[in-house]
Amino acid sequence: MLDLSDPSDLSSAFDGVLSSSTTVVPLVGPDHLTSAPVVRSVRGMPRDDLLNLAGALVSATCLSLLLFGRLTPLAGPLGFVVVTYALFLALYSFLVSLTEDRPAVVDKVMAAALTSAAVLAGGALLSVIAFTLWRGRAALTKPNLYVHDMSTAGPADPLTIGGIAHAIVGTLLVISVAMLLTVPLGLSCAVFLNETRGRAARLVRTVVDAMTALPSILAGLFIFATWILILGFERSSLAASLAVGIMMLPIIIRSADVVLRLVPSNLREASAAMGAPQWRTVWHVVLPTARSGLVTSVILGVARGVGETAPVLLTSGFTASMNVNPLKNPMVSLPLATFEFVRSPQPAMVARGFATAAVLMMLVLALFTLARLLGGRPVGHISARQARRVAACSVRDAARFDLIPAEENDARR
Amino acid sequence: MTAVTATTIPPVGEQAPSRPRVIVERRDRGDHLFHGVITLGSLVVLAIMAAVGLFLFLQAAQALRSTGVSFLTTSAWQPDRGEFGIAAVMTGTIAIAIVAVGIALPVSMGTALFVTEIAPVRLRSTCVALVDLMAAVPSVVYGLWGLFLLQGHTVGLARWLSTWLSWVPIFRVPGADPNNPLASSSSYTASTFIAGIVVAMMVMPIQCAVMREVFSQVPSGESEGAYALGATRWGMIRIVSIPFGRAGIIGGTMLGLGRALGETIAVLLIISPRFDINLHVLEAGGNSVSSLIALRYNEASGFGLSALMAAGLALFAMTLVVNFTASIFIARSRSGASSEA
């Protein structure tokens, strides 16, 4: 038992502890005070890490070159990449483990693995785009591709004859008609979901959610069975627009609904408190506030609709000549033309298919960039020009409220 | 507020039980018109959706009545002889979807974690835009890529897998002899595996978007707490981000699964159709419900079309279950303000 009142007893009790630990006295002196503390850099990558990475990468490449070239009968670019990657991870973890402890090694290796997942995804996207452009380059560089249709070109004709103008026009027509049908419907439905409460809105929301699960081919099959077989209309771009519209509608409603829900409710309440009826609140407050997001949701829905092949395959028919009438005669669109071209055994046709795919991709890319540019702003954020307009408007309002003529008001300022 | 309560104090002696004022919504003509328009819009939407669902159901019922339960167990597809079922096409669809999700899941999760935790802040919005762009690339373009580029390169991988892992039943390729150096590669092309890889490219961005959304909503208090306790970055991801985002990971994965089940054109381009249950994913030939519809819609008689509708209905039922389960999971994740369904 320790007797704490006795100092000798206490010192003997802590003897072992005290002797084993040493107290570090901080340096107090002019030297320590004047030298500025070194700030540890937390940005970028330390030199050691960079060297480890580079070393592991180089030695993994060399090792697998050796394996594939000399030591084993392995072959093939894909196998080379896989083997190199496995070797890289092993070598990298070994290099890091020379200087670091286990948690740090796991951290570094996992960071490398996560990064490589992202690089794999990006690389796959790049390879898709580059491959399509590369295989279509021969046809893409011929100007007749963009101005002619395929009515005069036989399957064995060279790339200087025939083009896909009919498919470009067809795609634009199909998507414009589909937009005309779906955008007003979709937006009014999204407004309904946000402006009314109760069972009706819940039912509509559930049904729309269910319809986002509808495989696009079923939208095509529905229009094929009803519009074409039962009602007896011919295959035309209108039928394709209907099918694409059914597919786009739930996408547009869902994303517009999400955007509208982000409009702060105090804006709505402020408008209501000023005595505005609901339609004025929606028209002058809610929709302008969410404009950028609504545009994005429509454009993204359109981008999905442009690229869908399955509904168009069933409904629009196939033709090699230009047709600008949406109601009569088959009309071909870019994805369908791609699909038909590449099924041909002729190399020139396949090249045309890739060129068509490249044009389609460019169209989607343009739509996508447009959506980014218009929709980059969060809900409620306004541009400088809009801000000036709003300010001017409130100056006018202030003048009106003061019941002072505007000139007099200006003169007073 | 106080002014209002002050004026409504009832006179003493008249102790009426206090109850909330009944709010009567009085609409002017503009509001009536406005409500009419938006209600009409959503009624039309509802009618279209109901028409699609009902029509599919009614048309399918005709075919289903004639086959009964054997619709689920028959592999062949010869509706005009009365012998048809979804056993082969449905297992084919599920096999493609599972291969796709199996490949896409690690990549999308890694990409989502890279974007939220590892990428430099300046690069993040670019990464997000690239992933979104990946979702926007038309499926026919992915199909071309898979058919003309990927197929040639994966044959070697498929042959290697089937040679060395043939003790795993799904990797076996019955028709091929790995010891024959002159064997053509055709037993390894047009397989479920290649179709699955291509569908994985379309599924990946969807999964990644949901996961990124969830990972970016990890409360900074929790992640900084982990760092303060000495966790490495991976340690923080393992003990904070992944448990926090678990519901989002599951929900995103299932959302991708729903998309993978319905994919048509890439599968149609790549796979060579066959009508028996084939679980050897590396072997040539497979099928899916949507590619069956795309193949047969044109030559189908009235009854054949109704049989296709039945297959489509089965597919729709499955994607519906998968999507609703996904949205339940996503809504249940502690975040989810933007993705509540």
Side-chain angles (χ1 to χ4, degrees):
Chain A
M1 196 55 205
L2 269 170
D3 182 8
L4 293 176
S5 57
D6 182 2
S8 67
D9 201 6
L10 205 99
S11 73
S12 72
F14 282 95
D15 208 25
V17 181
L18 287 174
S19 63
S20 68
S21 66
T22 50
T23 309
V24 180
V25 180
L27 291 168
V28 194
D31 188 47
H32 173 69
L33 287 175
T34 48
S35 68
V38 180
V39 178
R40 191 166 65 96
S41 163
V42 291
R43 303 187 62 177
M45 200 180 245
R47 205 184 47 152
D48 272 9
D49 285 6
L50 213 61
L51 289 178
N52 278 343
L53 266 179
L57 203 59
V58 169
S59 58
T61 314
C62 294
L63 210 58
S64 54
L65 275 176
L66 201 61
L67 279 177
F68 274 67
R70 301 276 166 177
L71 299 181
T72 53
L74 293 169
L78 193 73
F80 181 79
V81 173
V82 171
V83 170
T84 309
Y85 181 64
L87 284 172
F88 163 73
L89 278 190
L91 286 168
Y92 183 56
S93 59
F94 170 71
L95 282 181
V96 176
S97 71
L98 291 179
T99 51
E100 308 272 2
D101 56 352
R102 223 185 72 86
V105 174
V106 175
D107 175 51
K108 293 261 159 61
V109 172
M110 285 315 291
L114 294 180
T115 310
S116 51
V119 169
L120 176 66
L125 176 66
L126 268 186
S127 97
V128 168
I129 295 176
F131 178 70
T132 311
L133 290 175
W134 179 251
R135 287 290 295 263
R137 72 192 184 285
L140 278 171
T141 46
K142 308 270 184 304
N144 57 308
L145 182 81
Y146 309 100
V147 288
H148 290 176
D149 61 15
M150 290 297 291
S151 53
T152 53
D157 277 339
L159 291 172
T160 44
I161 298 174
I164 53 163
H166 59 311
I168 298 175
V169 170
T171 285
L172 294 180
L173 267 176
V174 166
I175 206 67
S176 324
V177 176
M179 268 177 80
L180 235 78
L181 297 172
T182 51
V183 170
L185 265 183
L187 290 189
S188 63
C189 185
V191 170
F192 176 82
L193 289 180
N194 271 274
E195 294 300 319
T196 55
R197 298 275 169 275
R199 217 175 293 157
R202 254 203 317 277
L203 173 72
V204 173
R205 188 170 280 143
T206 312
V207 169
V208 169
D209 270 356
M211 279 300 154
T212 51
L214 184 78
S216 58
I217 185 110
L218 289 185
L221 190 62
F222 171 74
I223 293 296
F224 176 73
T226 53
W227 187 258
I228 293 171
L229 290 187
I230 294 179
L231 297 177
F233 292 99
E234 61 181 315
R235 290 185 180 198
S236 64
S237 92
L238 180 64
S241 301
L242 291 174
V244 170
I246 288 181
M247 196 212 83
M248 273 164 55
L249 199 51
I251 301 175
I252 290 182
I253 294 174
R254 251 191 94 145
S255 47
D257 178 33
V258 169
V259 171
L260 286 177
R261 222 182 297 173
L262 292 179
V263 174
S265 56
N266 55 9
L267 284 182
R268 276 202 191 92
E269 286 156 11
S271 167
M274 299 289 276
Q278 200 175 7
W279 70 272
R280 273 191 179 279
T281 307
V282 169
W283 190 254
H284 292 289
V285 176
V286 176
L287 290 182
T289 310
R291 186 190 291 149
S292 132
L294 289 177
V295 169
T296 310
S297 64
V298 168
I299 294 181
L300 291 183
V302 169
R304 266 297 289 284
V306 164
E308 272 300 338
T309 322
V312 181
L313 174 71
L314 268 63
T315 49
S316 81
F318 186 77
T319 174
S321 55
M322 174 76 84
N323 171 24
V324 289
N325 184 352
L327 301 175
K328 273 175 77 86
N329 296 332
M331 182 186 289
V332 78
S333 54
L334 286 169
L336 186 57
T338 308
F339 183 67
E340 296 290 340
F341 282 145
V342 298
R343 289 208 297 188
S344 153
Q346 300 289 341
M349 279 302 212
V350 175
R352 277 194 197 103
F354 273 98
T356 316
V359 171
L360 174 65
M361 212 163 57
M362 290 302 136
L363 182 65
V364 171
L365 203 68
L367 281 173
F368 189 78
T369 318
L370 197 68
R372 281 262 142 195
L373 286 181
L374 293 176
R377 296 192 299 275
V379 165
H381 187 90
I382 53 177
S383 67
R385 205 178 49 154
Q386 281 169 314
R388 273 200 302 279
R389 207 161 53 208
V390 170
C393 188
S394 52
V395 166
R396 275 200 306 278
D397 283 347
R400 196 158 51 85
F401 291 163
D402 284 348
L403 295 176
I404 297 170
E407 310 86 85
E408 199 178 315
N409 195 32
D410 283 347
R412 205 169 53 175
R413 276 191 290 128
Chain B
M1 204 56 213
T2 49
V4 174
T5 45
T7 55
T8 53
I9 288 173
V12 185
E14 200 182 312
Q15 291 289 345
S18 71
R19 55 169 181 270
R21 189 165 64 95
V22 179
I23 299 173
V24 182
E25 210 178 335
R26 226 175 282 125
R27 293 172 179 168
D28 64 357
R29 200 183 302 152
D31 260 359
H32 272 297
L33 195 66
F34 168 73
H35 272 268
V37 168
I38 61 173
T39 312
L40 185 72
S42 41
L43 276 182
V44 171
V45 169
L46 208 58
I48 292 173
M49 301 302 172
V52 174
L54 266 179
F55 185 79
L56 269 181
F57 193 78
L58 291 178
Q59 287 275 304
Q62 186 195 351
L64 287 176
R65 252 199 310 276
S66 77
T67 53
V69 186
S70 74
F71 182 70
L72 295 176
T73 54
T74 312
S75 302
W77 193 267
Q78 279 150 343
D80 293 332
R81 282 170 47 192
E83 188 191 345
F84 61 96
I86 53 167
V89 283
M90 204 43 124
T91 46
T93 309
I94 296 172
I96 292 173
I98 287 177
V99 170
V101 170
I103 293 169
L105 181 60
V107 179
S108 56
M109 202 165 144
T111 309
L113 284 173
F114 173 80
V115 171
T116 47
E117 303 296 343
I118 295 179
V121 179
R122 277 171 301 147
L123 274 183
R124 272 177 205 174
S125 62
T126 316
C127 290
V128 172
L130 278 180
V131 171
D132 287 349
L133 179 64
M134 213 171 158
V137 171
S139 57
V140 69
V141 178
Y142 283 125
L144 289 192
W145 178 79
L147 182 62
F148 287 91
L149 179 71
L150 191 67
Q151 183 144 282
H153 290 300
T154 45
V155 166
L157 184 66
R159 181 175 289 165
W160 188 86
L161 280 175
S162 73
T163 308
W164 297 103
L165 296 177
S166 61
W167 46 272
V168 183
I170 58 165
F171 289 143
R172 205 173 292 151
V173 177
D177 176 16
N179 296 321
N180 179 2
L182 298 175
S184 89
S185 59
S186 65
S187 20
Y188 300 102
T189 55
S191 65
T192 305
F193 178 62
I194 297 169
I197 296 177
V198 174
V199 175
M201 295 278 291
M202 301 171 213
V203 167
M204 203 289 287
I206 298 173
Q207 295 182 338
C208 186
V210 176
M211 290 181 199
R212 186 179 52 77
E213 190 68 39
V214 176
F215 287 142
S216 69
Q217 283 167 349
V218 169
S220 54
E222 289 182 26
S223 56
E224 281 161 17
Y227 283 135
L229 290 173
T232 57
R233 187 161 52 189
W234 169 248
M236 192 285 288
I237 290 172
R238 200 167 55 87
I239 59 173
V240 176
S241 291
I242 291 179
F244 177 87
R246 185 168 289 140
I249 295 171
I250 298 172
T253 307
M254 296 196 73
L255 211 59
L257 186 66
R259 175 82 199 272
L261 289 169
E263 177 47 41
T264 310
I265 217 73
V267 177
L268 187 62
L269 271 174
I270 287 169
I271 223 159
S272 60
R274 59 190 275 180
F275 289 94
D276 55 347
I277 297 178
N278 177 20
L279 291 178
H280 307 294
V281 294
L282 298 174
E283 193 190 3
N287 219 331
S288 79
V289 174
S290 45
S291 69
L292 167 78
I293 295 174
L295 273 177
R296 294 290 176 87
Y297 78 100
N298 213 4
E299 57 204 52
S301 57
F303 185 73
L305 202 63
S306 146
L308 287 179
M309 293 269 185
L313 187 71
L315 176 66
F316 184 32
M318 201 155 73
T319 52
L320 204 61
V321 170
V322 168
N323 272 29
F324 268 117
T325 321
S327 60
I328 289 172
F329 270 109
I330 294 173
R332 204 184 282 172
S333 66
R334 277 157 66 195
S335 57
S338 67
S339 45
E340 59 180 339

